[in-house]
DNA sequence: CATCAATACTTGTTAATACATGTTGTTCTT
DNA sequence: AAGAACAACATGTATTAACAAGTATTGATG
C-alpha cells in the first residue's frame, strides 16, 4: 500500500480506514485488521497505526477492546452530530415522495423584521418564495423563504420543483450553509395556510423558523415553515454517557422530523 | 508532582489539566506549559504528555498550534453537548423567578398510550402530577407528568413547589436521568389549559412531549408540557466546522427556550 | 531603519523497543 | 469430561530517540 508524501502517514491511514468503513468495505461490528497487520500493510510503525486508530476512536467511528481488536462502530447514525437536512432529504428518509408547488416567486421590499434577520437595510429588495410541500401527494407543510436579492437572483422558479434552495446554492454556486439557527413555536392557520394545507382555519400548526448562514456569519435566507401538526412531529434524543454522570450535559443523538401516517 | 499507580499516567495528567482548567487555574486562551515543561514536571516522557494533550484536544478543551503551544479553548459553552435542563433551571437562566402550582396529584390507571411509553402494563397504577408553571408570577406553561408508581411514591406534593422531579429523583434518590426523548408539536388550548394559562380557548400552544429514562433504558416519567406560544420559543443553532465542508453534519451548539418579555 | 538570517523555542511526525494486560483457544492434567 | 496452565495474539502503556516544521526573537547586514 502506497502512501503519499507531504501528508502525515497517520492521517492518510485514518482517512483510508474511514473511507473503507464509509463505503462498506468494513461493515458495522466487523473486526478491523490488527495493529500489527496494518503496520505491516502500510510499512509503518505500530505507533503510527495507533495514532490513526485513535483519531477514529475519538470520533466514535470505531471502538477498541484490549485483547480483542478494533471494531467498526454500529451507531454510525450520529457522532454527537446532527445532520442539517432539507425537506426533500427528510421526506426521502421517511420513505415519502417529496414534491412542491411554488405559489409565489416575487421580489419585495424587506420589512424591518426581515431586514434585521437577514442583516440588510430595511426596504432592500428580497426574493420571496412561497411553496406548498407534499409528501406522497398530500400537503405536509407550507413555507416562505426570503433571500437577499444577491442570492435570490441565482434561483429560478422552475428549478425549485425538483431541487431545494439548500441544494442549488451549495452545489451549483458553492455557497455552503455553515450554520443554521432554528426557532420552534406554534401558530394557528390563517385562511391562506388553511386552504393550501387543506385543513380548517385556526388549526394549530408547528412552525419552524430558520435563518441559514454561509461563511462569515452571513445570512443567506430566512425561512418560515408551517408543518401540519397531524402530519409531522419533531423528535430529538439526548443521551448522557455512562461514565460521566456528574454533569447534566448530553450529546444530542438525533433531531428528526417524524411523519405520521394517515389514520 | 506525584502520580498514582494503577492508573495510566496520561490519564492522570489529562485529568489534572482538565481540573486546572475547570477550576480556572488555567484561564481561557491562556497558554499551557510546553510539552517539555510538563514532561519535566511529571517526570514522564514527552510522548506521554502528548497522549494526555491529545485527549483534551479531541474533546476541544484545548487547542494547539505548531510553533506556538497549547491553549485553553474559549468556547467552553458547548462541546457538541447540550444541557438537559429542567424548568427551574431554564427560567433561572432567563432571569425569571420560577414557581409552580400543583393542580393535581393523583394515582390513576395507565391507559394504553401511556403504558406503552412507560413500558408498563396497561392498567398499572401511575402517579399523575399536573402543574402550572409561572415565570415572574405569570403563567408560562402547564404540564402533566406521569410516573410509574415505583417512582411516583418517592414524590411528595409539597416538595414540588420548590424542587423539580428531575432534582428530587437525581439528588435525593440517586436515580439519574441518562436519556431524554423529546417530541415537539403544536396543539390548541382546551378549556382547562385556557383557564390555567389565562389565554383564550383554541389558542395554539407549543407542546413538548418527553420521556425521561434512567440507566438501562428504563422510563422514569412521561411528561407533556404546553408552553404559551406568546411566552416561549425554543431556539437551536447548528454549526458546521470550517474544515469539514464535505458532510452536512453539524454539532448542535445550543437548544434553549427563549422566554419572551411582555409587550 | 528595514531586511534577512540565525537560533531558540514550540508542536508535529515517526521509529524502534519493551513490557503490561485482556482474550481466546489449545493442551495437558486430573 | 472438566478444569488448570499455557501459548498466541490482541490492545494498552511508556520510554528514548531523532528529525520536521511553524513561530518569534535576536542580531548582523545592507
Amino acid at each position: 500500500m502506497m502512501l503519499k508524501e507531504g501528508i502525515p502517514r497517520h492521517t492518510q491511514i485514518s482517512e483510508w480506514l474511514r473511507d473503507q468503513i464509509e463505503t462498506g468495505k468494513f461493515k458495522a461490528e466487523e473486526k478491523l485488521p490488527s495493529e500489527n497487520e496494518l503496520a505491516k500493510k502500510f510499512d509503518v510503525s505500530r505507533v503510527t497505526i495507533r495514532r490513526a486508530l485513535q483519531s477514529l476512536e475519538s470520533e466514535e467511528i470505531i471502538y477498541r477492546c484490549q485483547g480483542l481488536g478494533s471494531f467498526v462502530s454500529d451507531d454510525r447514525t450520529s457522532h454527537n452530530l446532527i445532520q442539517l437536512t432539507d425537506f426533500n432529504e427528510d421526506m426521502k428518509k421517511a420513505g415519502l415522495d417529496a414534491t412542491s408547488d411554488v405559489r409565489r416567486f416575487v421580489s419585495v421590499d424587506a420589512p424591518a423584521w426581515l431586514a434585521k434577520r437577514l442583516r440588510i437595510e430595511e426596504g432592500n429588495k428580497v426574493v420571496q418564495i412561497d411553496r406548498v410541500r407534499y409528501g406522497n401527494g398530500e400537503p405536509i407543510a407550507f413555507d416562505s423563504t426570503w433571500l437577499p436579492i444577491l442570492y435570490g437572483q441565482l434561483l429560478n422558479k422552475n428549478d425549485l420543483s425538483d431541487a431545494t434552495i439548500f441544494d442549488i446554492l451549495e452545489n451549483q454556486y458553492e455557497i455552503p450553509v455553515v450554520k443554521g439557527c432554528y426557532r420552534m413555536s406554534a401558530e394557528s392557520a390563517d385562511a391562506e395556510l388553511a386552504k393550501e394545507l387543506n385543513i380548517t382555519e385556526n388549526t394549530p400548526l408547528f412552525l419552524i423558523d430558520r435563518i441559514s448562514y454561509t461563511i462569515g456569519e452571513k445570512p443567506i435566507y430566512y425561512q418560515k415553515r408551517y408543518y401540519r401538526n397531524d402530519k409531522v412531529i419533531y423528535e430529538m434524543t439526548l443521551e448522557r454517557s455512562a461514565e460521566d454522570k456528574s454533569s447534566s450535559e448530553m450529546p444530542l443523538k438525533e433531531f428528526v422530523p417524524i411523519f405520521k401516517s394517515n389514520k
Side-chain angles (χ1 to χ4, degrees), chain A residues 89 98 195 206 213 236:
Chain A
E89 279 182 77
K195 185 175 153 251
F206 182 57
Y213 298 86
M236 66 180 217

Side-chain angles (χ1 to χ4, degrees), chain A residues 191-210:
Chain A
E192 186 187 7
L193 284 167
K195 185 175 153 251
E196 295 291 9
L197 294 174
N198 195 24
I199 51 177
T200 57
E201 217 173 313
N202 292 324
T203 305
L205 295 170
F206 182 57
L207 169 61
I208 291 192
D209 211 299
R210 157 166 88 170

Side-chain angles (χ1 to χ4, degrees), chain A residues 19-256:
Chain A
D19 186 65
Q20 296 289 301
I21 291 166
E22 272 169 12
T23 60
K25 307 272 173 35
F26 291 122
K27 281 156 200 159
E29 300 302 326
E30 191 176 334
K31 188 177 171 301
L32 295 178
S34 77
E35 295 179 356
N36 283 320
E37 284 174 301
L38 288 170
K40 207 170 194 176
K41 179 187 182 70
F42 289 103
D43 193 31
V44 297
S45 75
R46 200 181 136 217
V47 183
T48 304
I49 295 294
R50 285 183 64 75
R51 179 75 184 72
L53 292 176
Q54 252 160 48
S55 303
L56 300 177
E57 191 186 21
S58 77
E59 290 178 62
E60 290 181 67
I61 290 170
I62 63 168
Y63 64 91
R64 322 173 70 195
C65 293
Q66 190 174 41
L68 281 177
S70 303
F71 304 85
V72 178
S73 293
D74 190 17
D75 68 333
R76 294 193 294 104
T77 41
S78 60
H79 318 255
N80 296 358
L81 295 175
I82 52 181
Q83 210 140 11
L84 190 73
T85 54
D86 59 29
F87 187 79
N88 291 359
E89 279 182 77
D90 286 342
M91 298 294 277
K92 215 169 79 185
K93 264 188 200 155
L96 298 176
D97 185 42
T99 51
S100 33
D101 277 353
V102 178
R103 281 297 143 85
R104 207 172 279 122
F105 192 109
V106 293
S107 171
V108 297
D109 297 332
W113 62 267
L114 179 61
K116 190 181 155 204
R117 284 174 174 74
L118 293 176
R119 292 206 200 123
I120 56 176
E121 294 295 317
E122 188 178 342
N124 280 13
K125 286 284 176 203
V126 292
V127 172
Q128 176 177 353
I129 302 165
D130 290 359
R131 288 174 293 180
V132 187
R133 305 305 197 106
Y134 302 91
N136 284 354
E138 260 203 307
I140 290 212
F142 181 91
D143 59 44
S144 300
T145 312
W146 291 269
L147 305 95
I149 195 80
L150 171 67
Y151 300 116
Q153 66 184 2
L154 302 174
L155 301 175
N156 172 315
K157 188 171 177 180
N158 298 324
D159 295 339
L160 293 172
S161 329
D162 313 322
T164 56
I165 294 177
F166 192 99
D167 234 24
I168 297 172
L169 292 178
E170 187 141 338
N171 297 329
Q172 287 185 35
Y173 297 102
E174 298 194 343
I175 302 169
V177 175
V178 297
K179 183 174 158 183
C181 182
Y182 294 69
R183 288 179 158 217
M184 280 149 286
S185 57
E187 218 167 272
S188 39
D190 62 18
E192 186 187 7
L193 284 167
K195 185 175 153 251
E196 295 291 9
L197 294 174
N198 195 24
I199 51 177
T200 57
E201 217 173 313
N202 292 324
T203 305
L205 295 170
F206 182 57
L207 169 61
I208 291 192
D209 211 299
R210 157 166 88 170
I211 309 175
S212 296
Y213 298 86
T214 188
I215 300 161
E217 296 274 307
K218 200 169 165 49
I220 311 180
Y221 61 84
Y222 174 68
Q223 186 172 70
K224 281 178 94 160
R225 180 173 297 157
Y226 297 90
Y227 281 102
R228 264 183 68 168
N229 197 45
D230 57 341
K231 292 291 174 192
V232 64
I233 275 185
Y234 263 81
E235 185 174 86
M236 66 180 217
T237 307
L238 305 180
E239 249 175 69
R240 176 145 51 159
S241 58
E243 319 96 60
D244 180 27
K245 279 174 206 149
S246 55
S247 93
S248 58
E249 285 184 342
M250 303 194 189
L252 183 69
K253 285 291 188 186
E254 276 187 302
F255 181 74
V256 290

